[in-house]
Amino acid sequence: MSTPRRAMIAAATAALAVVLTASLAGCSNRGGSGGGTDTDRAAPPTTTVGAPGAPAPTTGPRNSAPNACDSKMPGEVMTAEEAVVRFSDQQVCPGYVTVALGTPVTWRNTGQTTYTVTIKDGPLPSSPDLQRERVEPGASVAVELPSGQFAWTTDALEAFVGTVEVQG
């Protein structure tokens, strides 16, 4: 296989890895520069694995962009400090939160408009509402949920459906 072809395959594989990592992390970004930043918590390390002929794997911050979305994979338990969902009409991050029973999940409105967060009484967005909270710009609301899996939505991004998993 020629060197230019290997380089193209390595670049395509690296791009696919970035897309898959963002998808699995459960973040939604409508684009633009809106949304919150995660400057109040450190980014956990991740590993980028290349294709044959690509540079050796490197370890570094999960995201380094100013509006990057730091999150954990579904099932990785977050602390109360980590379980902060930042949302606006441009971005929701993280979209999947796993906490231990008794750990609150906080929704922080990083937008310029008041939005409503609706927590569903089950894992499906069609489940009945369990709790609805209006969150002013710059404000936060913390909610402690019982054990189980709960869908949640916000009118900031109407098509978005997030998940909170409470273990215990």
Side-chain angles (χ1 to χ4, degrees):
M1 186 179 309
S2 69
T3 301
R5 183 172 168 101
R6 281 188 181 158
M8 282 189 348
I9 291 171
T13 302
L16 180 60
V18 169
V19 169
L20 288 174
T21 300
S23 295
L24 291 173
C27 292
S28 173
N29 189 339
R30 187 179 282 177
S33 62
T37 62
D38 287 339
T39 57
D40 57 326
R41 66 181 169 124
T46 60
T47 302
T48 304
V49 179
T58 60
T59 301
R62 192 171 281 196
N63 290 301
S64 58
N67 290 321
C69 178
D70 284 337
S71 60
K72 292 190 176 186
M73 297 301 290
E76 288 185 69
V77 177
M78 296 178 167
T79 64
E81 293 77 25
E82 295 171 320
V84 178
V85 177
R86 291 159 184 83
F87 68 93
S88 70
D89 65 345
Q90 297 293 311
Q91 183 177 23
V92 173
C93 179
Y96 197 108
V97 175
T98 304
V99 294
L101 184 63
T103 304
V105 177
T106 301
W107 280 267
R108 181 173 298 148
N109 182 349
T110 60
Q112 302 298 314
T113 305
T114 300
Y115 294 113
T116 300
V117 171
T118 304
I119 303 163
K120 301 296 191 165
D121 192 14
L124 301 175
S126 59
S127 298
D129 293 357
L130 178 66
Q131 189 166 345
R132 293 176 64 89
E133 298 286 344
R134 290 188 51 78
V135 188
E136 299 291 327
S140 298
V141 62
V143 178
E144 197 173 305
L145 295 165
S147 185
Q149 193 175 55
F150 306 89
W152 65 273
T153 61
T154 177
D155 56 353
L157 290 171
E158 292 186 21
F160 178 81
V161 178
T163 300
V164 173
E165 178 184 348
V166 180
Q167 297 180 351

